[in-house]
């Protein structure tokens, strides 16, 4: 009986000790769990509060840095709890339980590292996507601004072309009115001279044909170097305009030229005295950008005659010149022909280009090699480019 009582007291004491150890271990585990829960709640609170004010990149970075902190806290507190539990149950530790624990640990370590790698890669991908989207947005904004500027410039050019068309229509109406007035005056003169009706009609028809020839020129070919249809001057590859202040006592005086005309003057049909483009010396060039890519067949050069020249001569007219086609991408020149403008002949002279060069060009270079004796400047009134448009089909 005494031995049985002592055994019972021993079992009671061991059970009380094990229950205390169990209660202590549970308290430690609850403390660890409470700390980790508090840390997680605090992290989520900070992330949610900063999500409305911080940019997406900062929120992602904070999340990336908080995850390792949580894992570190877990690795710090879990071993402590595990060691305490092992101490409290040292009598239960056996070789078989140790093997099982080691296997479980071997399985958990790769899983934990895989989780860390997945979370890190996902966060870095989100960060990269956020940065890429920001760069894409900035690029789109720059492109939109460039398109808007191009649209504004195009609208200005369209308004300018419409204004030029209105001016041309006004000039045509004035010319038609002058022609009708002259024909009416000639008819009255013929009636007063008692010329028979048949002869009178023939004379009027001849005068009308002469007016049409002057009005329409004798070229009768489409001109691709017209400002009104979109032709422009490549100023970077064109000679500088002549400065008026450098010469005194010549036809460039204030009574002849009110201001220096730009190079695109040669792209307009107005060839009144003084309405030309002048460059210094006897050699210069102008590069014309056509509105379409064409196969050039001929060029026409126009100057004023001695009869209407205020100075009484045309020594500033071009004499020898060359025409070249320029490659749109490389700028390589293709010689289309060299010619001479004869100032003693008609004011409008057309020159045929080399037909064996079946090439299409957008840029045409008009290169003046000499003039008719003026050492100060050379005047170009009008240049026309004739040819066939490319087959867009």
């Amino acid at each position: 009986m005494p031995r049985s009582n002592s055994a019972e007291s021993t079992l009671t004491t061991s059970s009380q000790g094990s229950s205390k150890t169990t209660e202590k271990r549970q308290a430690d585990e609850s403390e660890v769990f409470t700390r980790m829960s508090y840390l997680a709640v605090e992290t989520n609170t900070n992330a949610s509060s900063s999500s409305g004010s911080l940019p997406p990149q900062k929120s992602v970075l904070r999340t990336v840095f908080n995850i390792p902190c949580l894992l570190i806290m877990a690795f710090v507190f879990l071993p402590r709890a595990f060691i305490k539990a092992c101490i409290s149950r040292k009598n239960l530790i056996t070789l078989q339980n140790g093997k099982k624990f080691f296997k479980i640990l071997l399985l958990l370590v790769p899983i934990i590292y895989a989780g860390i790698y997945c979370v890190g890669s996902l966060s870095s991908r989100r960060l990269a996507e956020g940065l890429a989207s920001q760069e894409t947005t900035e690029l789109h904004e720059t492109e939109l601004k460039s398109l808007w500027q191009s649209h504004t410039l195009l609208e200005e050019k369209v308004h300018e072309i419409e204004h030029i068309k209105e001016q041309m229509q006004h000039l045509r109406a004035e010319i038609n009115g002058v022609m009708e007035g002259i024909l009416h005056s000639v008819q009255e003169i013929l009636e007063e001279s008692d010329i028979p009706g048949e002869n009178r009609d023939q004379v009027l028809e001849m005068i009308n044909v002469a007016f049409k020839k002057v009005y329409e020129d004798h070229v009768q070919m489409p001109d691709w170097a017209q400002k009104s249809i979109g032709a422009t001057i490549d100023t970077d590859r064109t000679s500088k305009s002549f400065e008026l202040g450098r010469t005194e006592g010549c036809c460039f005086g204030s009574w002849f030229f009110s201001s220096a005309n730009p190079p695109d003057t040669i792209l307009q049909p107005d060839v009144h005295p003084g309405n030309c483009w002048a460059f210094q010396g006897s050699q210069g060039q102008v590069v014309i950008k056509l509105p379409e890519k064409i196969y050039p067949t001929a060029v026409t050069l126009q100057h004023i005659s001695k009869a209407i020249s205020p100075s009484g001569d045309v020594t500033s007219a071009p004499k020898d010149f060359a025409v070249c086609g320029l490659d749109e991408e490389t700028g390589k020149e293709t010689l289309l022909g060299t010619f001479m403008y004869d100032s003693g002949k008609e004011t409008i002279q057309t020159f045929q280009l080399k037909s064996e060069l079946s090439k299409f060009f957008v840029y045409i270079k008009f290169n003046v090699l000499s003039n008719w004796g003026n050492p100060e400047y050379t005047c170009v009134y009008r240049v026309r480019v004739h040819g066939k448009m490319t087959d867009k089909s």
Side-chain angles (χ1 to χ4, degrees), residues 12-32 81 84-85 87-89:
T12 304
T13 305
S14 61
S15 63
Q16 290 177 356
S18 61
S19 62
K20 291 181 181 180
T21 305
T22 303
E23 291 176 358
K24 185 178 183 180
R25 179 176 57 81
Q26 290 177 356
D28 293 338
E29 290 178 354
S30 63
E31 180 182 359
V32 172
K84 291 180 180 181
I87 293 172
S88 62
R89 296 188 179 185

Side-chain angles (χ1 to χ4, degrees), residues 73-254:
M73 294 293 294
F75 278 113
V76 170
F77 288 103
L78 286 176
R80 290 177 59 187
F82 176 74
I83 292 170
K84 291 180 180 181
C86 290
I87 293 172
S88 62
R89 296 188 179 185
K90 61 182 179 179
N91 294 327
L92 299 176
I93 296 176
T94 61
L95 181 61
Q96 186 177 2
N97 293 335
K99 289 181 178 180
K100 290 181 180 180
F101 174 75
F102 185 71
K103 290 179 180 179
I104 293 171
L105 186 62
L106 288 178
L107 291 174
L108 288 176
V109 169
I111 294 172
I112 292 172
Y113 276 105
I116 294 173
Y117 176 76
C118 293
V119 172
S121 62
L122 181 61
S123 302
S124 61
R125 182 178 296 177
R126 289 182 179 178
L127 179 60
E129 289 177 355
L131 295 174
S133 63
Q134 185 177 2
E135 293 177 356
T136 305
T137 304
E138 293 177 355
L139 181 61
H140 287 336
E141 290 178 356
T142 305
E143 291 179 352
L144 287 174
K145 290 180 181 178
S146 178
L147 288 174
W148 180 254
Q149 292 176 355
S150 301
H151 176 70
T152 305
L153 182 61
L154 184 61
E155 286 185 346
E156 293 177 356
K157 293 294 183 182
V158 169
H159 290 315
E160 184 179 353
I161 292 173
E162 290 178 353
H163 181 65
I164 293 173
K165 287 182 178 179
E166 291 178 358
Q167 289 181 344
M168 290 180 64
Q169 291 177 357
H170 182 68
L171 289 173
R172 287 177 180 175
E174 290 183 354
I175 292 173
N176 290 332
V178 172
M179 289 174 58
E180 291 177 359
I182 293 174
L183 289 175
H184 182 69
S185 300
V186 172
Q187 186 176 5
E188 290 181 352
I189 292 172
L190 292 176
E191 290 177 355
E192 292 176 358
S193 301
D194 296 331
I195 297 177
E198 295 180 358
N199 296 336
R200 191 187 312 152
D201 293 338
Q202 291 178 358
V203 172
L204 289 174
E205 183 64 24
M206 290 172 61
I207 295 174
N208 193 18
V209 170
F211 273 124
K212 286 184 178 180
K213 185 176 284 189
V214 173
Y215 180 63
E216 298 178 354
D217 291 337
H218 62 276
V219 179
Q220 296 298 311
M221 287 187 292
D223 178 20
W224 292 98
Q226 293 187 71
K227 186 177 180 180
S228 58
I229 65 172
T232 57
I233 298 294
D234 187 349
T235 56
D236 294 335
R237 292 183 282 187
T238 299
S239 301
K240 294 182 179 180
S241 301
F242 183 74
E243 298 180 9
L244 301 181
R246 300 185 57 165
T247 302
E248 296 180 357
C250 67
C251 67
F252 268 83
S254 59

Side-chain angles (χ1 to χ4, degrees), residues 49-86:
S49 62
S50 61
S51 61
S53 59
L54 295 177
Q57 293 84 353
K58 293 184 178 180
S59 178
V60 172
L61 287 173
R62 177 167 291 182
T63 304
V64 171
F65 284 115
N66 284 336
I67 290 171
C69 292
L70 292 172
L71 294 173
I72 291 170
M73 294 293 294
F75 278 113
V76 170
F77 288 103
L78 286 176
R80 290 177 59 187
F82 176 74
I83 292 170
K84 291 180 180 181
C86 290

